[in-house]
Amino acid sequence: MSTNIIMHIDVNSAFLSWQATHEKQIGIERDIREVPSVIGGNEKSRHGIVLAKSVPAKKYKIQTGESLFEARQKCPNLLVVPPDYNIYTKASKKLREFLKTFTPDVEPFSIDECFIRFTDMSREKAIKMSHHIRTKIHEMFGYTVNIGISENKLLAKMAGDFEKPNKCHTCFPNEIKDKMWPLPVGDLFMVGRKTNQKLEKIGIHTIGDLANYDYNALSALLKSHGRLIYNYSWGKDNSEFKGEEQIKSVGNSSTLKFDVTDKETAHTILLSLIEVTAWRLREAKAYCTVVSIGIKYSDFSYLSRQRKLSFTTDCTNTIYENICNLFDNIWDGNPIRQLGVGVSDLDFSTSRQISIFEDNETKKNEDLDKTIDKIRYKYGDTSIIRGMFANTDFQPLLGGYPSDEYIGMSSNL
């Protein structure tokens, strides 16, 4: 019998795998997957947590999300590799482009996870296809993935998490009782640590316990979330397959190594954030008409503002000038812990109307941006940098996880 098939593709230890394959491509002989290693931020800064770990690192019980200080106490010889989000973003896009050679229906779920859909395909053919995709990804890109197969996104994601790495699993509706119900209830999608504790207190230890619990009692205890996870325990998921939506904004932010207390330093950091943001905007072949800024102070209070421009732009200098102006208008002088910038109200037109408000330098700056982009793409992100960053401790390109480029990054399917 043929039906719609959903597959969940999950890159195993994505940041570490992508970093390892990149190092191999540029001729670095080591393989960070074969030694105790982690991808993590600067141990001396506030970014010092484990983002991904190698299989040998797992043997030391190193956990994703724990501090690098804790990880190094468990393994003094631990190799810590700083993250390179540009590599990961490119790898993620390359993977999705490859998957589109099998089906046009590709829906990103996070930077290292996505769903694909096949219509009118038998289960037997789907299983055969999943092994073919998994093998081809390994051959072409040099890393492994897990693939979960089912008839809705929830069950496909649950199947993809059954056993790692480099596996294909099914979880069709008739397999739920055998494959999903024996699992700890904490393994169910959307059951977090606190919910797990509440469920354990009332005697729900497995997904099967949850499925056979009194629905009304669960609804009274956990309200709508209780009803949601109860339905999930039975494999019920009515979420639509959205496909790959066009991005609506591009943002970038960073928690700083130190509290910023002067305008000049803040402007320098904003420029390093905007360098990355404007580059991503141009990569998406889009122009923006809204720029925004967010400031998190050392007391964790947060302030943001945006500005509508009278013209569209993808020019780094233009975005920088407007965001600096916004910053100067709203900053009250208190110490800054985190800065964020964003561009939105995007225009994907192939041509752009020149505004009378633009000066003669605008076109020159746009051409210069595109030339710099080409150099960085060919020779590396920091192959060309602005002079103001030379011989300083400031990073010329600063930024974190580009979550707003990935539709469906929230916990909901």
Side-chain angles (χ1 to χ4, degrees):
M1 184 180 73
S2 296
T3 185
N4 284 351
I5 293 291
I6 304 288
M7 294 186 191
H8 174 252
I9 317 293
D10 184 6
V11 180
N12 299 134
S13 299
F15 288 180
L16 197 104
S17 297
W18 287 334
Q19 188 75 41
T21 52
H22 172 73
E23 290 189 355
K24 190 174 182 181
Q25 287 169 1
I26 62 175
I28 297 176
E29 292 186 358
R30 70 179 181 185
D31 190 334
I32 59 175
R33 292 169 292 191
E34 297 177 355
V35 298
S37 67
V38 298
I39 302 295
N42 189 329
E43 292 179 76
K44 296 178 181 176
S45 76
R46 288 180 276 199
H47 302 275
I49 63 169
V50 174
L51 299 172
K53 57 187 180 298
S54 67
V55 172
K58 289 180 184 176
K59 295 177 181 175
Y60 290 88
K61 302 187 184 305
I62 291 172
Q63 302 291 324
T64 302
E66 72 179 352
S67 72
L68 290 175
F69 177 76
E70 292 173 301
R72 196 171 286 288
Q73 282 188 317
K74 296 176 181 176
C75 177
N77 296 322
L78 185 69
L79 174 62
V80 178
V81 181
D84 188 331
Y85 296 101
N86 283 316
I87 291 173
Y88 311 152
T89 303
K90 290 173 184 173
S92 176
K93 289 179 179 175
K94 286 286 185 186
L95 175 61
R96 295 206 305 276
E97 288 171 7
F98 171 71
L99 293 172
K100 284 181 181 177
T101 63
F102 295 94
T103 171
D105 293 336
V106 177
E107 180 180 316
F109 185 61
S110 67
I111 193 169
D112 59 346
E113 297 177 64
C114 62
F115 295 101
I116 59 175
R117 180 176 62 180
F118 296 93
T119 55
D120 209 19
M121 177 181 275
S122 69
R123 291 181 178 181
E124 293 73 21
K125 186 175 180 181
I127 293 169
K128 189 175 179 181
M129 175 69 78
S130 71
H131 284 288
H132 175 65
I133 293 172
R134 177 181 58 81
T135 302
K136 292 297 289 183
I137 289 172
H138 192 203
E139 288 175 354
M140 289 184 63
F141 300 114
Y143 56 80
T144 62
V145 298
N146 259 47
I147 300 181
I149 312 151
S150 191
E151 296 172 2
N152 66 40
K153 289 194 286 186
L154 169 75
L155 290 176
K157 179 165 174 55
M158 290 299 299
D161 288 335
F162 280 164
E163 183 189 0
K164 297 181 178 180
N166 201 21
K167 303 282 186 183
C168 295
H169 298 285
T170 62
C171 188
F172 292 111
N174 62 304
E175 298 176 311
I176 291 173
K177 290 183 180 178
D178 290 335
K179 291 187 175 182
M180 212 168 80
W181 281 11
L183 298 175
V185 70
D187 286 1
L188 182 64
F189 182 68
M190 291 295 285
V191 174
R193 184 173 54 85
K194 289 184 178 178
T195 301
N196 190 23
Q197 289 173 350
K198 290 178 182 177
L199 295 175
E200 291 280 353
K201 282 183 180 178
I202 58 174
I204 296 177
H205 306 295
T206 67
I207 297 175
D209 291 339
L210 177 63
N212 289 290
Y213 201 77
D214 184 85
Y215 175 81
N216 292 325
L218 194 67
S219 177
L221 177 67
L222 299 175
K223 313 302 179 191
S224 61
H225 189 64
R227 296 189 287 273
L228 175 73
I229 60 175
Y230 179 86
N231 285 327
Y232 279 1
S233 71
W234 283 90
K236 297 177 181 176
D237 167 34
N238 296 320
S239 60
E240 295 179 6
F241 192 92
K242 301 169 187 171
E244 191 160 23
E245 299 179 17
Q246 200 168 50
I247 63 169
K248 297 177 181 177
S249 64
V250 181
N252 193 11
S253 65
S254 183
T255 300
L256 309 173
K257 295 178 181 177
F258 53 89
D259 288 343
V260 172
T261 56
D262 65 280
K263 186 171 73 174
E264 290 71 25
T265 299
H267 282 192
T268 303
I269 293 167
L270 286 173
L271 179 57
S272 65
L273 290 167
I274 293 165
E275 284 270 27
V276 176
T277 305
W279 186 6
R280 289 179 187 149
L281 181 67
R282 293 189 291 272
E283 272 196 326
K285 302 186 186 310
Y287 300 94
C288 71
T289 52
V290 171
V291 298
S292 59
I293 183 171
I295 302 172
K296 183 181 283 185
Y297 291 110
S298 58
D299 63 358
F300 290 93
S301 60
Y302 183 75
L303 181 65
S304 66
R305 290 289 186 278
Q306 65 179 32
R307 169 177 291 176
K308 177 84 172 177
L309 306 179
S310 58
F311 51 86
T312 61
T313 185
D314 64 355
C315 177
T316 300
N317 273 12
T318 304
I319 296 170
Y320 173 65
E321 289 168 4
N322 280 279
I323 286 182
C324 281
N325 189 264
L326 268 176
F327 173 84
D328 294 345
N329 288 336
I330 65 171
W331 184 44
D332 60 9
N334 284 322
I336 299 168
R337 175 184 175 84
Q338 183 186 70
L339 280 169
V341 300
V343 294
S344 56
D345 198 3
L346 304 186
D347 180 359
F348 291 87
S349 303
T350 54
S351 59
R352 187 172 74 90
Q353 179 67 47
I354 296 175
S355 168
I356 60 172
F357 298 103
E358 297 178 34
D359 57 34
N360 294 330
E361 294 299 310
T362 301
K363 183 66 172 65
K364 292 180 181 176
N365 285 328
E366 288 176 347
D367 291 342
L368 180 61
D369 284 337
K370 290 175 175 58
T371 301
I372 291 172
D373 291 348
K374 289 178 182 176
I375 293 171
R376 285 175 173 164
Y377 188 82
K378 187 171 183 179
Y379 298 105
D381 297 350
T382 55
S383 56
I384 182 168
I385 64 172
R386 293 176 186 264
M388 65 185 294
F389 292 108
N391 302 316
T392 73
D393 292 331
F394 293 108
Q395 293 184 47
L397 291 95
L398 185 63
Y401 196 80
S403 60
D404 47 356
E405 290 187 42
Y406 290 85
I407 309 302
M409 284 295 291
S410 66
S411 57
N412 292 319
L413 289 168

